[in-house]
Amino acid sequence: LYHRPDGYWHLSHSEGACVVALEVEINPKHNEDYEKIAVFYRLQRGIRIILWAVPHLWMAKHIHGLLEKNTSQSFKPDHNFILIEDFQKHGWQAVIKVGQFTGKSIEQILGKTPTKSIEKGCKSFCTDFLLDARKSPKISSSSKFYEVHDFT
């Protein structure tokens, strides 16, 4: 079974490493697609947390219900949902709306906010860049002010 999340974070904590997957859902898929995604994450024991960014709370509740229905009791990855608008406004302070970590911010579950401040004329570079789903980000508005060496 093959599925490719929109992104990953590899985090190091005092209790060991953790992989977090990112799923950005702009439009809902067919229910069967979420059943397949649930199976994918059930088989990927190294991924414990999946952070979903969705445009609407109803969508978060619907997807979460489908994922929970198709997840085994022996291994249950944590599917958590934020609203895209909240992330655009608050970045890593956006609060989880649905999931095990409901009420906590992204920063609280993933760790500290990136330490390098990026301000070169783009109001919210980090959130715009992270949400840019185009296949050619090199021509996106979020990358035209920045070079690769700005992040090293």
Side-chain angles (χ1 to χ4, degrees):
L1 182 66
Y2 179 76
H3 172 73
R4 187 176 72 178
D6 295 306
Y8 290 104
W9 286 283
H10 183 266
L11 308 174
S12 296
H13 293 288
S14 56
E15 58 272 2
C18 173
V19 176
V20 177
L22 172 67
E23 295 282 354
V24 179
E25 290 294 289
I26 305 299
N27 298 302
K29 295 177 172 55
H30 295 284
N31 290 355
E32 300 80 29
D33 294 329
Y34 293 112
E35 292 169 10
K36 291 175 185 174
I37 291 170
V39 170
F40 169 80
Y41 283 118
R42 189 172 64 227
L43 297 173
Q44 301 300 315
R45 301 288 173 130
I47 302 173
R48 285 291 300 140
I49 300 170
I50 301 92
L51 182 63
W52 293 77
V54 297
H56 308 286
L57 185 57
W58 67 263
M59 196 169 156
K61 291 177 180 178
H62 177 73
I63 296 169
H64 188 260
L66 291 170
L67 295 167
E68 286 291 303
K69 186 175 89 174
N70 291 287
T71 301
S72 76
Q73 295 303 316
S74 61
F75 177 73
K76 232 178 179 168
D78 302 323
H79 294 276
N80 294 277
F81 293 78
I82 60 168
L83 299 181
I84 292 171
E85 183 178 346
D86 287 350
F87 183 71
Q88 289 172 320
K89 287 180 185 174
H90 306 292
W92 283 52
Q93 298 305 316
V95 173
I96 306 295
K97 299 294 186 186
V98 176
Q100 178 185 351
F101 297 113
T102 297
K104 292 187 177 183
S105 70
I106 298 170
E107 181 179 56
Q108 287 175 302
I109 62 169
L110 296 187
K112 296 289 181 200
T113 307
T115 55
K116 187 171 182 181
S117 176
I118 302 169
E119 293 182 26
K120 285 190 178 179
C122 185
K123 182 181 128 202
S124 60
F125 169 80
C126 287
T127 54
D128 290 344
F129 181 77
L130 291 172
L131 292 173
D132 188 348
R134 289 179 274 192
K135 292 186 186 262
S136 300
K138 65 181 179 158
I139 60 169
S140 70
S141 63
S142 63
S143 65
K144 68 181 175 184
F145 300 111
Y146 304 96
E147 299 293 330
V148 172
H149 67 273
D150 289 335
F151 305 103
T152 57

